[in-house]
Amino acid sequence: MSVPDYMQCAEDHQTLLVVVQPVGVVSEDNFFRIYKRISSVSQVSVRDSQRVLCIRYRHHYPPENNEWGDFQTHRKVVGLVTVTDCRSARDWPQTLEKFHMQKELYGSTLYDSRLFVFGLQGGVAEQPRTDVAFYPSYDDCQAVEKRVEDFIESLFIVLESKRLDRATDKSGDKIPLLCVPFEKKDFVGLDTDSRHYKKRCQGRTRKHVGDLCLQAGMLQDALVHYHVAVELLRSVNDFLWLGAALEGLCSASVIYHYPGGTGGQSGARRFLGNSPADAANRHRPGAQEVLIDPGALTTNGINADTSAEIGRAKNCLSPEDIVDRYKEAISCYSKYKNAGVIELEACVKAVRILAIQKRSMEASEFLQNAVYINLRQLSEEEKIQRYSILSELYELIGFRRKSAFFKRVAAMQCVAPSIAEPGWRACYKLLLETLPGYSLSLDPKDFNKGTHRGWAAVQMRLLHELVYASRRMGNPALSVRHLSFLLQTMLDFLSDQEKKDVTQSLESYTSKCPGTMEVITLPDGLTLLPVPFTKLPIVRRVQLLNLPTSLRPQKMKSLLGQSVSAKSPFIYSPITAHSRGEERSKKIDFQWVQGDVCEVQLMVYNPMPFELRVENMGLLTSGVEFESLPAALSLPAESGLYPVTLVGVPQTTGTITVNGYHTTVFGVFSDCLLDNLPGLKTSGSSVEVIPALPRLQISTSLPRSAHSLQPSSGDEISTNVSVQLYNGETQQLIIKLENIGMEPLEKLEVTSKMLTTKEKLYGDFLSWKLEEARAQLPLQPGEVATITVSIRAKLDFSCQENVLQDLSDDGISVSGFALCSPFRQVVRPRADGKPASAPEGGRPGDTSQAKYPAVPPAPGCLQLRRARADGPRPEQRGAHPAPRRVPANGDPSGQVRLREFPRIPRGEGAVCKFKAAGGGAAGGPEPGDQRQAGHPLGTPVPEAHGRGERGRAAEPARPGAAAAGPSAVGKP
């Protein structure tokens, strides 16, 4: 016997083998439709008896295996069922002849045969025949199962007659010697009258009768015959047949102990004539209940009064003894080179039994022995089948890695060089089945759950084989997906050279088929999830950035105050305050504006040993329609944390959530979600987007100054302008407001304030009229409104010279002249060692010998606020004041500072200089006083100090115009 049956189980020893084959031209679909219906009749209850016949069907069986039918009767083909198509009576003789030729292949062992003819009607079909059944079509054949049951009953009649004939003791007749095919030449010339020879014949005959009893459903009789055969064959050292007798004894004991079968679903047997509860127990794998049919043991059996003894089953082996007897039987088979197939099948049967007994280590010993059994030169298909069955058996006993190893060997065998047409699809399918055994999952999320599981070197080798197999299959998208998975999940285990090789291969594949984020569905239903490159580059921190200072929305104070909500009638509600606290913890405390460019900063680094080029990098958002502006970057090899700013423009209002980012690396498009990034630090990912607000650009008629009046508060934009005025002089400041945004300006507020000063100003230092500007409201996009501000300087020089000199010597500046003065007195302590009086005789313009000290400047701030005139929108009313918008290059406070030149003696006149400034410029020394020589009073020289705009989003002012610092207030 040369072809092993790897699907055999111990309980198959009680079955009758029936072969079902097509005759002539029969479509494969029609044949397997009938084969499925025929094989459904696997057990038949014998008429007038409680015995049950078990049938095993095969649609292909090697005729050479049939020669071992005397050695083990379950290998003998005892029944043949053929299926044929015959459309006309003229084809009937030829069809019948083919049927008889098919019978001749198994003629020496056949008990009976049947021919099922489909499509033939008329006179021939009406002739009664016992071995032929006619059916009009494959759809109209309701009686097929009944014909099969009748056929099995005819097999039982022949089987029973053979059993009785062999079991009957005929004294005086010589018992024939049963032989296997390779033994016939060894027994030529032996003394047939010797005692040794007779014992050999008796032992083999007893073993054969035991097989027939087991097939006939007489379990106890079979056990008795097996025990007798073992003793006879052991005494004459007939090891081959001794192994067969031991295996038959083990099979009968397995049927006794495990009525549910040892072969899983395929090996489970249906038992007829029992209650549903009994049937459930019989189908339960590993069931230990003793369910013996008493009637099967009394019909022509040992003794009709032995049911009690049979119930105890004293001749049955225990579960532990079954394994020991299998070991002995395999040891006997191993002595014969030609019995390799029998030995291999015995190992497979023992493994299935040990799997039920949960004895995995002993089962692995049987499988290890099966691996080294030397069979004849196997074909490639037989090798694939052998390795696949070994893999399934190792999986059955829980050896998953060993199972994966043999399945991978089977996959490599599918594409062996000796095969003319390699089966790359079969190879790829088997490789996929090995993944669980190597702790490898094709879901990238499984690699973010902690430490790495499995051997990385073996996993990388397997992934490379999947890439190569998918490429040879002609599926480049599959190759890109597996190679992307390899690079993403095994990056930490790849050497520098391997990283370069993998990325070069990936770029080569993606040049023909770019990688996408679509799910790939294989023909067998397996789905491959997308693989985002979250490690190329690695992101460690994500931070949403506030808008630039010139674009940040500001809130307007409501009439009730900022801390009171107009939506509730109560001044304070703890429930409302608690809910607002939770909302604030989830959202970021600043806001974005619809239509403005918003930024998100990522801290990334490149883990690759070469420069990493990232293309088409942008943001992934939800909640608000968002236009992402992609960026491209190049990171140096193994760089540290590198800041990357991604920008976009929200198109609608609401709450926007930054879910992640998308990249294109090595031709693979990836959507990387923040939730899937390990070790990520983020300060929040949700921010409120408010409606678009107006944007103003402010320019003035005065030149800008390079010095700031006061430090910037951080939330204001300031611009400094300078002006020089004589005492009592008035000059006009023209402020132009240009709407550079997309929303109309509906409301404008202008305020002013004076910073701390030591001098007295009479009258209004700054005055303006808004009638002309208000008439232009609402200011549409692109339009310009103008405001004229009058700057008037009037200082008090009425103090006596000696008093001013004394105060100057003491380091005290007096500004409290009239009680109605809005300024307060500022006193500075006298400096130690200061002379009582200043030297006289100083020349005009000599500041080092000035007779009078310099007067500090008088600073002032001009603030402009803008908004829509109709008040807050319905959704903005109440506790949430309407945000205001800071102009691009202006400051809410256009600060004007007054500086007086050194005092001039009374009667000679006075000159003063005024300076308008904002709080945004960097501080520095004030410009020195300049006078024109030869004039007693000096000629004031105007100052012009220019500086650049600070607001990045604002448009530059017109040439020659300086930007003032008003602040504008708007609302959504």
Side-chain angles (χ1 to χ4, degrees):
M1 190 168 64
S2 59
V3 181
D5 185 2
Y6 297 101
M7 302 306 296
Q8 275 204 17
C9 307
E11 56 269 19
D12 287 341
H13 284 249
Q14 68 176 342
T15 60
L16 298 176
L17 179 58
V18 176
V19 176
V20 182
Q21 291 182 340
V23 172
V25 180
V26 180
S27 66
E28 185 177 353
D29 294 339
N30 290 335
F31 171 74
F32 281 102
R33 280 174 56 189
I34 298 301
Y35 177 80
K36 184 177 180 180
R37 295 183 60 179
I38 293 174
S39 60
S40 64
V41 187
S42 60
Q43 290 181 343
V44 176
S45 180
V46 179
R47 190 177 304 173
D48 300 330
S49 173
Q50 296 184 3
R51 285 188 282 178
V52 177
L53 289 181
C54 299
I55 311 299
R56 187 171 87 257
Y57 295 92
R58 294 289 185 270
H59 56 80
H60 174 73
Y61 193 75
E64 58 267 23
N65 287 7
N66 197 36
E67 299 176 0
W68 290 70
D70 291 337
F71 181 73
Q72 290 176 329
T73 57
H74 73 282
R75 302 181 185 276
K76 182 189 305 183
V77 179
V78 297
L80 175 65
V81 178
T82 56
V83 179
T84 184
D85 283 339
C86 186
R87 301 299 178 183
S88 63
R90 292 177 300 177
D91 299 335
W92 169 242
Q94 185 179 2
T95 301
L96 190 59
E97 183 181 357
K98 291 180 180 179
F99 170 61
H100 291 298
M101 292 175 60
Q102 196 76 12
K103 287 170 54 176
E104 292 177 0
L105 293 176
Y106 312 101
S108 60
T109 60
L110 283 181
Y111 293 170
D112 201 356
S113 60
R114 292 289 186 271
L115 173 63
F116 291 168
V117 182
F118 293 88
L120 184 61
Q121 299 179 2
V124 177
E126 294 175 357
Q127 296 177 3
R129 296 178 61 100
T130 57
D131 59 342
V132 180
F134 296 93
Y135 298 99
S137 65
Y138 289 96
D139 298 327
D140 187 11
C141 55
Q142 292 83 3
V144 169
E145 290 81 358
K146 185 65 173 62
R147 289 295 185 100
V148 174
E149 291 180 3
D150 296 339
F151 170 66
I152 294 175
E153 288 182 0
S154 68
L155 297 179
F156 171 74
I157 295 173
V158 180
L159 173 65
E160 187 69 7
S161 63
K162 289 182 176 292
R163 183 189 68 82
L164 293 174
D165 183 56
R166 295 282 186 177
T168 303
D169 185 12
K170 297 179 180 180
S171 58
D173 294 343
K174 288 186 177 181
I175 302 175
L177 179 65
L178 301 175
C179 301
V180 295
F182 70 88
E183 285 183 325
K184 293 180 180 180
K185 61 181 180 180
D186 297 334
F187 291 123
V188 177
L190 288 180
D191 185 8
T192 58
D193 295 332
S194 65
R195 185 176 179 183
H196 187 277
Y197 180 83
K198 290 181 179 181
K199 276 192 174 182
R200 186 191 298 268
C201 294
Q202 291 176 359
R204 293 187 178 189
T205 302
R206 279 282 187 161
K207 186 265 171 192
H208 182 70
V209 174
D211 290 344
L212 295 177
C213 292
L214 190 61
Q215 286 182 314
M218 303 175 66
L219 181 62
Q220 184 62 23
D221 289 57
L223 288 170
V224 173
H225 287 295
Y226 284 137
H227 276 289
V228 175
V230 167
E231 297 301 327
L232 291 173
L233 295 171
R234 196 190 300 273
S235 64
V236 295
N237 293 331
D238 192 356
F239 295 111
L240 180 63
W241 286 77
L242 174 60
L246 290 172
E247 188 178 357
L249 182 61
C250 293
S251 298
S253 302
V254 167
I255 295 171
Y256 180 88
H257 285 291
Y258 308 104
T262 61
Q265 296 294 333
S266 61
R269 305 296 181 186
R270 294 184 296 109
F271 286 81
L272 306 177
N274 297 300
S275 64
D278 292 341
N281 289 331
R282 292 178 182 275
H283 280 83
R284 183 166 54 89
Q288 300 291 331
E289 292 82 358
V290 178
L291 299 174
I292 300 300
D293 188 351
L297 301 174
T298 57
T299 304
N300 295 327
I302 303 172
N303 191 346
D305 298 329
T306 58
S307 58
E309 180 183 355
I310 293 170
R312 292 191 297 269
K314 69 173 185 177
N315 293 321
C316 184
L317 299 176
S318 65
E320 292 77 15
D321 292 338
I322 291 175
V323 178
D324 295 336
R325 294 299 180 269
Y326 261 116
K327 290 181 180 179
E328 184 180 357
I330 292 172
S331 177
C332 293
Y333 292 148
S334 64
K335 300 179 184 296
Y336 298 88
K337 181 180 180 180
N338 295 325
V341 174
I342 305 296
E343 181 184 359
L344 178 61
E345 292 181 356
C347 290
V348 173
K349 297 170 188 176
V351 169
R352 298 186 187 277
I353 296 170
L354 288 170
I356 294 178
Q357 296 179 1
K358 308 297 183 182
R359 298 162 66 178
S360 300
M361 293 303 298
E362 295 182 51
S364 67
E365 295 177 2
F366 280 95
L367 280 178
Q368 194 68 20
N369 179 69
V371 171
Y372 293 105
I373 294 176
N374 185 18
L375 301 178
R376 64 171 179 81
Q377 190 67 25
L378 299 177
S379 64
E380 300 299 335
E381 293 182 359
E382 291 173 343
K383 291 179 181 179
I384 295 172
Q385 184 185 16
R386 182 180 184 181
Y387 294 136
S388 298
I389 293 299
L390 288 174
S391 174
E392 292 179 6
L393 293 175
Y394 272 113
E395 180 73 21
L396 186 64
I397 64 176
F399 284 39
R400 296 184 177 179
R401 190 185 62 82
K402 200 78 169 180
S403 171
F405 171 78
F406 281 102
K407 191 159 291 185
R408 178 180 170 273
V409 173
M412 296 296 101
Q413 202 67 43
C414 293
V415 292
S418 57
I419 299 179
E421 297 181 358
W424 288 106
R425 293 188 180 275
C427 173
Y428 179 81
K429 183 178 180 181
L430 289 174
L431 287 176
L432 286 179
E433 294 176 0
T434 64
L435 297 180
Y438 291 115
S439 301
L440 188 59
S441 169
L442 293 181
D443 188 356
K445 296 181 180 179
D446 294 339
F447 289 83
N448 298 331
K449 298 180 180 179
T451 59
H452 187 86
R453 296 179 63 247
W455 294 347
V458 178
Q459 293 172 347
M460 288 189 292
R461 175 66 180 272
L462 183 59
L463 289 173
H464 276 295
E465 292 171 350
L466 284 173
V467 172
Y468 185 75
S470 57
R471 184 176 69 86
R472 294 299 300 269
M473 287 168 54
N475 194 337
L478 209 56
S479 301
V480 172
R481 181 62 51 86
H482 288 308
L483 202 56
S484 302
F485 183 85
L486 170 64
L487 188 60
Q488 167 68 19
T489 59
M490 301 296 169
L491 184 63
D492 298 336
F493 303 98
L494 293 173
S495 64
D496 291 348
Q497 185 61 38
E498 288 174 338
K499 291 177 181 178
K500 295 179 181 178
D501 296 340
V502 171
T503 52
Q504 289 177 0
S505 300
L506 184 59
E507 288 179 335
S508 176
Y509 289 155
T510 53
S511 63
K512 302 177 183 178
C513 180
T516 63
M517 291 296 293
E518 297 179 357
V519 177
I520 298 178
T521 303
L522 301 179
D524 57 353
L526 181 65
T527 58
L528 297 181
L529 299 178
V531 183
F533 278 159
T534 58
K535 294 184 178 180
L536 298 174
I538 298 178
V539 178
R540 286 304 183 204
R541 189 179 58 159
V542 176
Q543 181 181 6
L544 277 67
L545 301 181
N546 198 354
L547 294 174
T549 308
S550 61
L551 299 178
R552 294 176 187 174
Q554 304 292 335
K555 293 183 179 181
M556 297 177 62
K557 294 183 179 181
S558 62
L559 297 177
L560 299 177
Q562 295 183 351
S563 61
V564 181
S565 174
K567 295 182 179 180
S568 174
F570 303 99
I571 298 177
Y572 172 77
S573 173
I575 300 177
T576 305
H578 178 69
S579 61
R580 289 178 183 171
E582 292 182 351
E583 293 177 0
R584 283 194 296 268
S585 64
K586 296 179 181 179
K587 295 184 180 180
I588 300 178
D589 55 356
F590 57 80
Q591 295 171 322
W592 285 352
V593 179
Q594 174 186 358
D596 285 352
V597 177
C598 305
E599 299 177 340
V600 177
Q601 187 181 69
L602 283 69
M603 300 300 295
V604 304
Y605 72 91
N606 175 21
M608 305 300 284
F610 50 85
E611 183 180 4
L612 180 65
R613 297 187 304 273
V614 183
E615 303 174 356
N616 193 30
M617 191 173 188
L619 295 173
L620 298 176
T621 61
S622 62
V624 169
E625 183 180 350
F626 187 81
E627 179 186 359
S628 178
L629 305 178
L633 61 146
S634 180
L635 300 176
E638 297 179 350
S639 65
L641 286 178
Y642 187 84
V644 175
T645 302
L646 301 181
V647 299
V649 179
Q651 303 296 332
T652 58
T653 61
T655 300
I656 186 173
T657 301
V658 178
N659 300 321
Y661 59 93
H662 63 81
T663 60
T664 301
V665 182
F666 304 128
V668 179
F669 184 81
S670 304
D671 288 340
C672 305
L673 301 180
L674 300 183
D675 296 339
N676 298 333
L677 299 181
L680 178 68
K681 296 181 179 180
T682 177
S683 58
S685 59
S686 297
V687 65
E688 182 183 1
V689 179
I690 62 174
L693 295 177
R695 294 174 57 184
L696 286 181
Q697 177 175 277
I698 302 177
S699 58
T700 65
S701 59
L702 295 179
R704 286 180 289 180
S705 173
H707 305 284
S708 61
L709 182 62
Q710 64 179 1
S712 175
S713 62
D715 59 349
E716 295 179 348
I717 297 298
S718 62
T719 300
N720 306 318
V721 296
S722 302
V723 62
Q724 294 184 6
L725 300 177
Y726 291 98
N727 189 21
E729 183 181 356
T730 302
Q731 186 169 342
Q732 303 294 327
L733 170 64
I734 300 176
I735 301 176
K736 294 184 179 181
L737 307 176
E738 181 181 359
N739 188 353
I740 62 174
M742 303 302 295
E743 298 293 327
L745 178 66
E746 299 175 349
K747 185 178 180 180
L748 181 66
E749 296 180 3
V750 179
T751 59
S752 66
K753 69 177 181 179
M754 295 296 298
L755 301 184
T756 304
T757 181
K758 300 177 182 179
E759 301 302 325
K760 173 67 181 295
L761 299 180
Y762 289 104
D764 295 332
F765 174 52
L766 300 176
S767 62
W768 58 84
K769 294 182 180 180
L770 295 180
E771 287 75 7
E772 181 181 357
R774 289 175 180 173
Q776 302 179 30
L777 297 181
L779 190 63
Q780 299 299 325
E783 295 183 356
V784 179
T786 58
I787 299 177
T788 302
V789 179
S790 297
I791 305 175
R792 183 181 181 186
K794 184 177 181 181
L795 300 181
D796 185 8
F797 297 97
S798 61
C799 296
Q800 298 295 328
E801 295 180 9
N802 55 354
V803 177
L804 294 177
Q805 181 67 34
D806 294 339
L807 292 175
S808 177
D809 293 342
D810 294 338
I812 299 175
S813 176
V814 180
S815 59
F817 300 103
L819 294 178
C820 61
S821 172
F823 304 99
R824 58 185 178 179
Q825 180 176 346
V826 179
V827 180
R828 291 181 298 177
R830 180 194 300 268
D832 295 340
K834 188 175 181 66
S837 61
E840 298 181 358
R843 293 173 300 176
D846 186 357
T847 57
S848 63
Q849 298 179 359
K851 185 176 181 180
Y852 302 101
V855 180
C861 296
L862 179 66
Q863 295 184 351
L864 287 83
R865 297 180 180 273
R866 58 176 172 76
R868 294 187 177 91
D870 53 354
R873 295 184 179 178
E875 63 273 342
Q876 296 287 340
R877 294 172 182 170
H880 302 284
R884 70 183 179 86
R885 189 61 176 279
V886 176
N889 56 354
D891 185 304
S893 57
Q895 302 175 355
V896 179
R897 179 170 64 179
L898 304 181
R899 166 181 290 181
E900 183 184 356
F901 281 87
R903 294 177 177 170
I904 307 301
R906 187 177 303 173
E908 297 182 1
V911 179
C912 63
K913 180 176 75 172
F914 298 90
K915 180 179 180 181
E926 296 292 341
D929 299 330
Q930 302 179 11
R931 300 186 182 183
Q932 186 174 2
H935 195 281
L937 297 179
T939 303
V941 181
E943 292 182 359
H945 304 283
R947 65 184 297 270
E949 300 286 337
R950 292 193 61 193
R952 67 169 180 83
E955 298 180 2
R958 292 174 297 175
S967 66
V969 176
K971 74 172 190 65

